[in-house]
Amino acid sequence: MALNKADLKNNIIGILTDMMQREESSIEEFATRLSDDIDTYVKTATIKYTSGLVAPNGAVTGTFNGKLE
């Protein structure tokens, strides 16, 4: 699955909106919720590997050719 920047943006807006409506702010809660959303966002990335790494009888060598989507 490709990264969905619009969903991340909407999640951040939701967190900020929720935090602004409170009587007391919580930096700890904000940081936790934001880092959870960023973690989820990054984990949806897809790596498209095309070529470049070789390992006939040992450690992998070469240059990774591909892209992160």
Side-chain angles (χ1 to χ4, degrees), residues 9-65:
K9 178 182 172 183
N10 289 332
N11 289 344
I12 294 170
I13 290 170
I15 294 169
L16 291 171
T17 301
D18 182 46
M19 299 302 285
M20 290 174 59
Q21 293 173 352
R22 297 177 179 210
E23 294 286 326
E24 294 182 26
S25 64
S26 171
I27 292 172
E28 182 71 26
E29 180 185 352
F30 172 78
T32 299
R33 290 174 64 183
L34 180 61
S35 62
D36 287 346
D37 282 341
I38 292 171
D39 184 60
T40 300
Y41 171 76
V42 170
K43 287 180 178 177
T44 64
T46 301
I47 298 172
K48 298 275 185 167
Y49 174 72
T50 54
S51 67
L53 302 178
V54 181
N57 292 320
V60 175
T61 61
T63 302
F64 178 85
N65 295 313

